[in-house]
Amino acid sequence: PGKPVDEEHVVNLYRYAGPYLLSRLQQELHLLRLAQRGIEVIIVNPGFIVGSRDRGPNFPGQIVLGFLKRRFPLCPPGGTSWIGVSDVADGLVNAATKGRSGERYIFTSEDLTFRALADRIEKLTGIRAPKRTVPKSMLKSGAHVARFAAQLIGRRPAIDPAIIVRLVADGFYYSSEKAAKELGLPRNPIDQDLIAACKDFKRRRLA
């Protein structure tokens, strides 16, 4: 919450993250060390990507699919920064030709609460969005239950439930001003890619 995070922001992932996110952090730090040795390295950090051909689907795609299938009786209260996959593709090309070695670039185009995302999906598809929002206290209680369950079965979740609560309860937003200024990152509304994602999910009979 508050000021959007930019490339200079320091996040203590060692305190919050599980093995997957820590592995991503270690990879990035290794690449930055290579850049210091003269190897050309340009790092791109997209926000929540939405678009067609999301084979997983990935976590943002699962959120969109959840609204399409009306899996969420209540809307999460937070939000985050989104970007269409077509803008990411253009940004990657620009990063390869205009990016500076040893630099990181955040790619985002729209800051949307989950309420705004659900309303956008309703407007584009006609599928009704949840009208009520999950209380933050309920989310926090759910995080404690999820953490306890993980301990019982001896598994550490890829992302600690506490950080998920921080995202969905308070929101977490990112600034792409650097990428827009240095790379000419296109930052279009996500509507076109959101429609493409919805159509693709339906074509694949996921929604």
Side-chain angles (χ1 to χ4, degrees):
K3 185 179 179 180
V5 169
D6 63 17
E7 290 82 358
E8 302 303 317
H9 189 86
V10 177
V11 179
N12 185 4
L13 286 181
Y14 288 97
R15 180 178 178 184
Y16 295 108
Y20 172 71
L21 288 180
L22 287 177
S23 70
R24 294 286 299 271
L25 173 63
Q26 291 292 342
Q27 291 170 17
E28 188 168 299
L29 293 176
H30 178 66
L31 289 172
L32 290 173
R33 287 193 292 268
L34 291 178
Q36 292 174 351
R37 291 165 49 186
I39 297 175
E40 186 174 12
V41 173
I42 300 166
I43 296 174
V44 167
N45 302 123
F48 273 33
I49 303 173
V50 63
S52 63
R53 301 184 181 182
D54 184 356
R55 296 302 180 192
N58 63 16
F59 182 54
Q62 290 177 28
I63 294 173
V64 173
L65 189 57
F67 284 124
L68 286 176
K69 299 186 74 171
R70 302 186 70 179
R71 288 176 176 168
F72 306 134
L74 302 174
C75 196
T80 191
S81 300
W82 295 76
I83 187 166
V85 68
S86 55
D87 282 353
V88 173
D90 290 340
L92 289 173
V93 172
N94 291 354
T97 57
K98 302 177 182 178
R100 292 182 289 137
S101 183
E103 294 292 325
R104 297 164 60 231
Y105 297 95
I106 293 174
F107 284 10
T108 64
S109 62
E110 279 196 275
D111 292 342
L112 292 174
T113 63
F114 294 115
R115 160 72 58 197
L117 176 69
D119 290 342
R120 186 82 59 90
I121 292 173
E122 178 177 0
K123 179 181 178 181
L124 296 174
T125 67
I127 296 174
R128 292 188 62 186
K131 300 307 178 185
R132 300 181 65 182
T133 301
V134 182
K136 291 184 181 181
S137 59
M138 184 182 296
L139 284 176
K140 293 177 180 178
S141 298
H144 291 306
V145 171
R147 180 181 291 170
F148 178 68
Q151 292 174 346
L152 283 179
I153 63 175
R155 276 185 165 182
R156 186 181 181 186
I159 303 177
D160 191 288
I163 205 168
I164 297 176
V165 166
R166 183 181 179 189
L167 170 65
V168 300
D170 297 322
F172 211 79
Y173 301 95
Y174 310 89
S175 170
S176 58
E177 291 301 319
K178 178 179 176 181
K181 181 179 180 180
E182 295 190 18
L183 308 181
L185 173 72
R187 296 186 290 180
N188 299 301
I190 65 170
D191 292 33
Q192 184 175 348
D193 284 299
L194 185 56
I195 291 173
C198 295
K199 289 182 177 179
D200 185 55
F201 287 144
K202 290 181 179 179
R203 180 183 60 80
R204 291 157 55 196
R205 298 181 180 178
L206 296 177

